[in-house]
Amino acid sequence: MDFFLQLTINGLVVGSIYALVALGFVIIYKSSGVLNFAQGEFLLIGAYFFLAILENARVPLLVALGLTVVSATLLGLLMERLVLRPMIGEPIISVIMVTLGLSSILRAIVQGIWGTDTHPFPALFESSPIQIGPLPVSRGYLFSVVSSAVLLLAFTLFFRFARVGVAMRATAFSQQVALSMGISVKHIFAISWSIAAVVSALGGVLLGALRGGVDGSLAVIGMKALPVVILGGLDSIGGAILGGLIIGVLENLSGGYLDPYFGGGVKEVAPFVVLVLILMVKPYGLFGKVRIERV
Amino acid sequence: MLRLENVEVIYDDVILVLKGLSLQVPSGRIVALLGPNGAGKSTTLKAISGLLEAEEGEVTDGAIEFEGQRIEDLPPEKIVRRGIFQVMEGRRVFEDLTVDENITMGGFTRHDRAELQRDREMCFNYFPRLRDLRGRLAGYLSGGEQQMLAISRALMARPKLILLDEPSLGLSPLLVQEIFAIIGRINREEKSTFLLVEQNANLALSIAHFGYIMEGGHIVLEGEPEKLKSNEDVKEFYLSGGGKKSYKAIKSYRRRKRWLS
Ligand SMILES: Nc1ncnc2c1ncn2[C@@H]1O[C@H](COP(=O)(O)OP(=O)(O)OP(=O)(O)O)[C@@H](O)[C@H]1O
Ligand SMILES: [Mg+2]
């Protein structure tokens, strides 16, 4: 039982970070219809950048986080401006290919700067766990879960109630009609790219802290967002959250219980098996919107 | 208020659609723009609102002047802020937003909260049916209700000029009557100016103060509604609905030169 509980908690912690990264994915998809394959690199850059600030500037944790957020915002704006804006009006599939290219370029740049070795993360939290009921929970885990939860809630409310949030959904429906309302589609894209870059960077920092170090494999984890969002429904924020948690827990449980029998690797495969099963029943994902079709 | 002078529009760098179109919309008026399918009516509206930009279309010649200033090179979001709002053909509501959210988007460029709230009430007064549908996804509304929503969205922007593209499209005659009556009311009560594109010439001329008839990318006839209605050719082609020949084939048609100052 203890083993099960431990695995589940681990799963929820990692899952909440997946959810955060998936949120970035969904935001870009929702407003522009583009799947951003450079999302993993956003994670990587965020984590490295945070590390660099922490090591070189010796500033408090929160300041380093703040600076990471600022630079991620700039990164998102830059990507949108340099790479995606020239592509406005081109077929979506071309734009998606561009993000694939972007992913390779960013990865090369990151490797050029930081190399391929694992950079250890400094211990950000005291190692003594916090007692929640009968369970001892590590401070790092708690910080991860709480900050992911706060961010996810904030963005859910933003899309539901904020004018700009609603405008982002409107733009997702039709750019031309959004333009006719006086909504600047360019601004909307810029906002979604910077939000995506910020949540990914924070996800990268949290993951780095959890794993105790950063290397290129973090970008691979970033792409876990793909099964997460497909599971949750590409355009649903609630779906991204639940999808993230489900995949996180599934991974840990299947890894914990089945890996000994299969000699490892189940953890990586299990989410995709579940994904396929769910998509057979719900082709739009758990919460994807079924297109309104009427004549 | 609005002046188009010899406007030329080209799509995709090669397709010439507007060929020197000129028209004027005076403040406070309803001006009807009539013509057969493919004449370039929607293109004219999109040239004014800047929405051509989203369709690889471009104003390549001539001038569009609004309140004395050239606007043909402005992006659509700036044109909305100047006070021109287009209700696109086919209603184009945000289907996966609620009625309320659609109305909010209409007022996107404004920030005066209290006034916005009052204008939302005004929309519900003009279209009481929408009030009960506030929380409903717009995609599930009937065609008529969507048209009401599209017009409400325009009202929320408090535009000086509303470009209305075929509001009668696909609606039952009774509903069309109702919507046109409300357009007339909005014009009188809110002092909104309209440039109204229609296939249904009779109806459009019944509320318009002035009418233009266009064909093949330019204006072929213009005048007071009464004059247009009594014009034999207009009767034959647009009011009886049985037009076969083109205006160009009619001897009495004479293209007038405009604004050759
Ligand atoms: N985006 C576009 N790209 C290329 N050609 C276009 C485009 N939009 C319209 N056209 C062409 O321009 C011409 C005029 O189209 P427009 O939509 O302005 O006509 P309309 O008068 O509004 O017709 P309708 O009454 O059918 O709505 C048509 O021949 C059409 O094929
Ligand atoms: Mg048209």
Side-chain angles (χ1 to χ4, degrees):
Chain A
M1 192 61 204
D2 256 6
F3 186 51
F4 176 79
L5 217 56
Q6 198 54 54
L7 287 175
T8 309
I9 290 177
N10 284 358
L12 287 176
V13 172
V14 178
S16 66
I17 302 176
Y18 289 168
L20 203 54
V21 178
L23 177 70
F25 216 77
V26 169
I27 284 170
I28 290 182
Y29 178 78
K30 263 178 93 86
S31 65
S32 57
V34 172
L35 298 175
N36 172 25
F37 283 101
Q39 183 92 0
E41 278 67 34
F42 283 9
L43 232 79
L44 203 55
I45 293 175
Y48 273 131
F49 199 87
F50 174 76
L51 207 55
I53 297 174
L54 216 55
E55 280 172 350
N56 298 319
R58 307 234 154 265
V59 289
L61 177 62
L62 283 180
V63 176
L65 269 181
L67 285 174
T68 308
V69 167
V70 172
S71 43
T73 309
L74 294 179
L75 174 71
L77 290 178
L78 200 69
M79 291 299 114
E80 192 275 332
R81 190 69 201 237
L82 291 184
V83 187
L84 289 127
R85 192 166 302 178
M87 296 294 292
I88 283 186
E90 302 296 325
I92 290 287
I93 186 72
S94 324
V95 184
I96 294 175
M97 296 320 265
V98 167
T99 71
L100 264 176
L102 190 62
S103 150
S104 316
I105 295 171
L106 287 179
R107 173 112 32 133
I109 293 176
V110 165
Q111 280 182 3
I113 299 176
W114 284 288
T116 47
D117 296 340
T118 303
H119 288 237
F121 244 65
L124 300 177
F125 304 96
E126 289 172 43
S127 56
S128 64
I130 292 176
Q131 204 71 24
I132 297 181
L135 280 176
V137 181
S138 103
R139 283 169 200 267
Y141 276 25
L142 208 59
F143 180 77
S144 275
V145 171
V146 171
S147 40
S148 312
V150 167
L151 284 167
L152 291 170
L153 181 69
F155 280 112
T156 308
L157 296 176
F158 171 74
F159 278 108
R160 186 101 219 106
F161 298 111
R163 243 164 41 96
V164 174
V166 178
M168 288 172 83
R169 281 157 55 212
T171 308
F173 178 76
S174 161
Q175 292 173 20
Q176 194 183 29
V177 184
L179 280 172
S180 82
M181 303 287 118
I183 296 168
S184 163
V185 170
K186 287 177 194 143
H187 289 169
I188 296 292
F189 285 179
I191 294 170
S192 33
W193 277 80
S194 42
I195 292 179
V198 166
V199 290
S200 311
L202 291 177
V205 171
L206 294 176
L207 272 176
L210 225 52
R211 305 163 91 208
V214 195
D215 54 44
S217 66
L218 208 61
V220 181
I221 296 189
M223 286 318 291
K224 282 260 168 63
L226 199 55
V228 168
V229 292
I230 293 174
L231 174 68
L234 268 171
D235 44 21
S236 159
I237 296 194
I241 297 174
L242 207 70
L245 295 178
I246 291 177
I247 295 225
V249 170
L250 266 176
E251 245 181 30
N252 273 276
L253 287 182
S254 55
Y257 285 107
L258 299 178
D259 265 358
Y261 303 104
F262 292 92
V266 182
K267 195 171 175 174
E268 272 68 46
V269 180
F272 289 94
V273 174
V274 175
L275 181 64
V276 169
L277 289 179
I278 289 185
L279 287 186
M280 280 157 90
V281 188
K282 303 207 65 160
Y284 290 100
L286 287 176
F287 296 94
K289 90 190 145 215
V290 180
R291 296 251 163 255
I292 297 174
E293 276 165 26
R294 56 198 313 281
V295 268
Chain B
M1 170 184 245
L2 179 77
R3 224 158 85 103
L4 275 71
E5 221 171 300
N6 293 310
V7 170
E8 190 177 273
V9 166
I10 297 185
Y11 282 112
D12 296 321
D13 296 327
V14 285
I15 310 167
L16 178 65
V17 173
L18 294 193
K19 304 160 186 166
L21 176 126
S22 300
L23 59 77
Q24 269 183 313
V25 183
S27 183
R29 295 284 143 137
I30 300 179
V31 173
L33 179 59
L34 313 172
N37 290 114
K41 305 181 299 294
S42 301
T43 302
T44 306
L45 296 193
K46 285 180 223 160
I48 300 168
S49 64
L51 291 178
L52 278 182
E53 175 191 285
E55 294 184 11
E56 303 294 310
E58 205 188 340
V59 177
T60 48
D61 199 9
I64 303 178
E65 227 175 59
F66 182 62
E67 296 184 318
Q69 287 181 313
R70 300 279 289 261
I71 57 167
E72 69 267 19
D73 292 328
L74 293 181
E77 67 264 21
K78 291 242 169 68
I79 294 178
V80 172
R81 280 166 215 268
R82 294 273 177 106
I84 300 180
F85 197 100
Q86 177 170 2
V87 178
M88 294 170 72
E89 186 176 336
R91 309 182 277 272
R92 307 292 294 273
V93 296
F94 297 115
E95 294 181 359
D96 42 25
L97 267 54
T98 64
V99 167
D100 251 339
E101 287 171 336
N102 266 277
I103 291 179
T104 305
M105 286 300 100
F108 183 81
T109 50
R110 294 172 52 196
H111 295 275
D112 40 350
R113 272 166 178 264
E115 289 284 299
L116 278 169
Q117 195 47 45
R118 201 174 315 153
D119 285 354
R120 189 182 296 264
E121 278 307 310
M122 171 186 78
C123 293
F124 292 144
N125 286 335
Y126 280 120
F127 304 107
R129 219 176 307 178
L130 290 183
R131 194 190 299 273
D132 307 324
L133 299 167
R134 293 179 75 147
R136 187 86 56 91
L137 285 186
Y140 291 122
L141 301 189
S142 76
E145 289 157 354
Q146 290 188 346
Q147 188 64 62
M148 296 176 187
L149 181 55
I151 296 175
S152 298
R153 257 186 341 198
L155 291 180
M156 289 303 288
R158 279 259 180 111
K160 296 169 188 153
L161 170 65
I162 299 178
L163 311 173
L164 207 48
D165 199 347
E166 296 203 40
S168 71
L169 193 75
L171 306 188
S172 75
L174 209 63
L175 205 59
V176 172
Q177 291 278 352
E178 186 185 332
I179 287 188
F180 270 71
I182 295 176
I183 294 170
R185 257 182 71 201
I186 294 172
N187 168 251
R188 285 189 303 276
E189 294 168 10
E190 317 299 329
K191 310 274 176 270
S192 313
T193 310
F194 284 89
L195 177 55
L196 170 64
V197 161
E198 257 305 330
Q199 295 278 345
N200 189 334
N202 235 338
L203 207 56
L205 290 177
S206 72
I207 62 164
H209 303 103
F210 197 82
Y212 289 93
I213 294 181
M214 74 179 292
E215 199 173 274
H218 48 234
I219 303 293
V220 293
L221 198 67
E222 64 180 76
E224 309 284 325
E226 293 315 314
K227 181 187 145 206
L228 290 179
K229 273 194 212 168
S230 61
N231 181 304
E232 285 306 316
D233 302 328
V234 175
K235 266 192 206 160
E236 184 181 344
F237 293 113
Y238 297 104
L239 301 181
S240 62
K244 288 177 201 78
K245 293 182 287 182
S246 153
Y247 254 98
K248 288 172 191 139
I250 300 173
K251 271 198 206 134
S252 64
Y253 158 60
R254 180 173 53 89
R255 170 126 170 73
R256 270 167 294 169
K257 291 187 173 175
R258 260 170 285 268
W259 293 306
L260 287 181
S261 47

